[in-house]
Amino acid sequence: MGLILENFKMALSSIKANKMRSFLTMLGIIIGIASVITITSVGESTKATMNKFISGFGKNRVMLYVNYEAENQIDNNKYFTLEDVDYIKGKFKNQLAYISLSNGSVSTIKRGIKEQKVNFSGADYNYIKELSTYKIIYGRDFQENDVIGRKKVTIVNREFAQALFGREDIVGEEITGTIDGETTTLKIIGVYNKEKTIFDSIGGGNQTDAYIPYTIAGSSTGYLDMKIVENLNSATESNKIKEFVTRYKQADPSTYKIQTLEEQAGMINQMLTMLSLGLGAIAAISLVVGGIGIMNIMLVSVTERTKEIGIRKSLGARKKDILLQFLIESIILSGAGGIIGTLIGLGLSNIATKFMKVDSTISVNAIITAVVFSFGVGIFFGLFPANKASNLDPIDALRYE
């Protein structure tokens, strides 16, 4: 233990004697570790935010839709109608927490010189409660008689209210838009608010979302939006519904397909994981470059200190003493670079997640792996120079000029 401590002190003394050279040697490791930590942490943060975003659409949510890639031609009577929704709802009332046609229209709403593009989505009376994390801040939610009675009412978001009316509380106001190909005047019964996420800017432009009873959004569509009761298995129950719909519609088994929210989340997570791994692997190349830099500078150090090695050996230093001295110096350089790189990486990832407006998530496993790897780089690339130093002949070393 005393020998290791003595070699540790000697290594630190050598590093301090060449501060700038030591820093430049560590730079490759610092950049590599910082890059890996930043990329991994941003990837994990994006995944966590994406999962939170998807979960906001409701657990056990399922989409049953017409398979447009089916070999057989899809007839119009294979599409879902309002009557189909009522029939399926009655047959599976104990399994379904929510069901509606997934229909809607995009319309430009004008008020004076102002205009706003709105995506009107059809929804049942319990959509906001069951399938979203939205909060009604003014007015009320849909009621069952709004849907059954096909009332021309709508719930808009706060941004739409501000953009078109210049205020948030616009309950009772009327707007005119194109719904299912017809010009329709809608009464605003509620204003909702939702938390902003990074995903709001993807493909949305200046478009906002509003909800109308699905019974006025369109009479036929190829999509059914459903939610299975939470204590039931969504895959099992949705397959039962698919089989029932296939028989009810007298369709080929390939006519309909199912996709669960969990499947969508799994595909997105897999894609983000592969992207993070790919970028992390590219960033890790700089660690190898940093390791080569450490080997190079340690070989230079061995050459510069050849006479010192000869003196130590002539005074009784063993081969393993010399080996340990240079190996410890190499490990200190790479280890210190790893720790500094980790701190920089954490700082950069925190800045990046704030800029991207995602929740910051630190991957502890990535930090541990990166630091351990940096020490491993020191051992691997320091072994050759250390071995070269330990094998020097003391007589030849003392003669070296």
Side-chain angles (χ1 to χ4, degrees), residues 64-293:
L64 175 63
Y65 61 96
V66 173
N67 179 18
Y68 295 101
E69 297 177 355
E71 293 182 3
N72 298 328
Q73 188 174 358
I74 305 298
D75 299 325
N76 287 337
N77 62 0
K78 298 300 186 289
Y79 288 86
F80 305 114
T81 64
L82 298 174
E83 291 74 20
D84 293 337
V85 172
D86 291 336
Y87 191 62
I88 296 169
K89 189 186 291 186
K91 285 287 183 180
F92 294 91
K93 59 184 178 182
N94 295 325
Q95 290 84 17
L96 287 170
Y98 178 91
I99 182 171
S100 75
L101 296 180
S102 182
N103 49 9
S105 304
V106 176
S107 180
T108 299
I109 308 299
K110 296 181 179 181
R111 187 172 186 268
I113 61 171
K114 297 179 180 179
E115 64 177 43
Q116 183 73 35
K117 197 173 183 180
V118 181
N119 176 36
F120 287 104
S121 298
D124 205 354
Y125 70 95
N126 57 343
Y127 175 87
I128 290 180
K129 175 187 173 183
E130 293 288 349
L131 298 184
S132 79
T133 56
Y134 305 158
K135 298 288 188 295
I136 301 290
I137 56 175
Y138 299 103
R140 64 174 177 85
D141 199 352
F142 289 128
Q143 295 174 351
E144 194 168 7
N145 65 327
D146 292 326
V147 179
I148 296 172
R150 301 187 181 186
K151 292 184 179 180
K152 294 179 173 60
V153 293
T154 183
I155 299 173
V156 300
N157 67 21
R158 184 171 64 177
E159 286 73 23
F160 171 84
Q162 284 282 12
L164 216 60
F165 290 86
R167 65 183 194 276
E168 293 183 359
D169 187 358
I170 57 172
V171 174
E173 297 283 354
E174 292 185 342
I175 55 176
T176 301
T178 303
I179 307 296
D180 196 25
E182 296 182 0
T183 301
T184 306
T185 299
L186 300 166
K187 183 179 181 180
I188 298 170
I189 61 169
V191 179
Y192 73 88
N193 180 49
K194 70 169 182 175
E195 293 182 8
K196 286 276 188 182
T197 70
I198 185 178
F199 309 106
D200 291 330
S201 60
I202 300 176
N206 64 341
Q207 182 175 304
T208 61
D209 295 316
Y211 296 93
I212 56 178
Y214 77 88
T215 47
I216 68 167
S219 58
S220 177
T221 183
Y223 298 86
L224 275 184
D225 195 3
M226 304 184 294
K227 180 185 177 182
I228 307 299
V229 173
E230 290 198 5
N231 62 351
L232 298 177
N233 184 283
S234 61
T236 302
E237 298 302 328
S238 57
N239 275 310
K240 289 179 183 178
I241 295 171
K242 177 193 167 187
E243 290 170 5
F244 170 78
V245 170
T246 302
R247 293 194 305 270
Y248 169 63
K249 289 284 194 178
Q250 298 180 354
D252 187 86
S254 65
T255 302
Y256 302 107
K257 292 185 77 174
I258 282 176
Q259 188 170 52
T260 65
L261 193 66
E262 288 77 11
E263 289 173 343
Q264 292 177 340
M267 288 188 293
I268 293 169
N269 281 337
Q270 186 178 19
M271 179 187 69
L272 290 173
T273 299
M274 294 301 294
L275 182 63
S276 294
L277 287 174
L279 292 174
I282 293 170
I285 293 173
S286 60
L287 288 174
V288 177
V289 175
I292 294 171

